[in-house]
Amino acid sequence: MSKAFTRESDDLPEVPVVARQRSPLPPGAKNYLTPDGARRLHEELDRLVQVERPRQVASPDNPEAKRQLQVLDQRIYYLQQSLQSAVVVAPPVVPEAGVRFGASVTVRDRSGVESRYRIVGVYETDIDRGWVSWLSPIAKALLNARLGERVRFELPAGHEELEILSISYD
């Protein structure tokens, strides 16, 4: 085809469309967040809107900047939707002996190994820190359990039993 019948923009590298992030929440589930988690999501949203997005918009001719702007806009939208649907759950006024949302729970397995888990919202989950979603099997087993109680939950390799050693609300 003759160059006379093509647009100059056809010669530019194509900016790929970035797939939209999907919510980790199952349909109909509440979007619970701890106050700290809501604060961190708000801080991230503010930083992206006030600092990162203006920086990307400043380079409109750069194809990589356009792709980064798409990714950024999707993250901003994702955070806005997450915060809009959030139900912020404050820790109990009087710490209870039972495990509730937001609790940090120290447990011991049958082999004597101790672990600590914090039950948080799905948008706060951080396995490296021991923060597990309230929808996870271990959190479901721990919720409503009491200090000293043993709980069982299923793993792909079989069932596990944990003894609750301590409960705190950070």
Side-chain angles (χ1 to χ4, degrees):
M1 179 184 329
S2 167
K3 197 69 165 152
F5 295 104
T6 63
R7 290 184 300 250
E8 222 175 272
S9 63
D10 290 342
D11 296 337
L12 296 175
E14 198 170 306
V15 177
V17 176
V18 180
R20 186 173 292 255
Q21 277 185 315
R22 296 200 306 160
S23 172
L25 286 168
K30 295 222 181 218
N31 179 17
Y32 294 119
L33 286 176
T34 63
D36 181 55
R39 179 191 55 76
R40 283 184 286 109
L41 291 179
H42 274 290
E43 286 174 357
E44 180 184 0
L45 178 60
D46 290 344
R47 180 182 54 78
L48 294 178
V49 169
Q50 295 173 9
V51 178
E52 298 299 327
R53 191 170 196 291
R55 186 180 308 154
Q56 292 299 327
V57 171
S59 306
D61 299 330
N62 180 350
E64 179 59 22
K66 285 182 182 180
R67 190 186 73 71
Q68 288 297 326
L69 186 59
Q70 275 186 334
V71 171
L72 199 58
D73 283 343
Q74 287 188 3
R75 180 66 182 164
I76 288 169
Y77 177 78
Y78 183 77
L79 289 171
Q80 288 171 333
Q81 294 304 308
S82 301
L83 289 166
Q84 184 178 14
S85 66
V87 176
V88 178
V89 180
V93 177
V94 178
E96 308 172 6
V99 177
R100 302 285 181 262
F101 181 84
S104 292
V105 185
T106 303
V107 296
R108 180 174 37 224
D109 67 17
R110 285 183 277 187
S111 61
V113 176
E114 291 185 13
S115 302
R116 184 172 173 88
Y117 300 100
R118 183 168 182 222
I119 301 172
V120 297
V122 295
Y123 294 100
E124 303 173 79
T125 303
D126 184 345
I127 299 302
D128 294 335
R129 295 170 77 177
W131 293 10
V132 296
S133 162
W134 66 279
L135 294 171
S136 68
I138 191 162
K140 286 180 178 180
L142 292 171
L143 283 168
N144 297 317
R146 299 205 159 285
L147 189 62
E149 190 175 330
R150 292 183 184 275
V151 296
R152 289 178 65 149
F153 69 100
E154 291 298 318
L155 293 168
H159 67 274
E160 180 66 66
E161 186 174 284
L162 303 173
E163 178 185 4
I164 298 175
L165 302 176
S166 71
I167 303 166
S168 65
Y169 294 87
D170 304 332

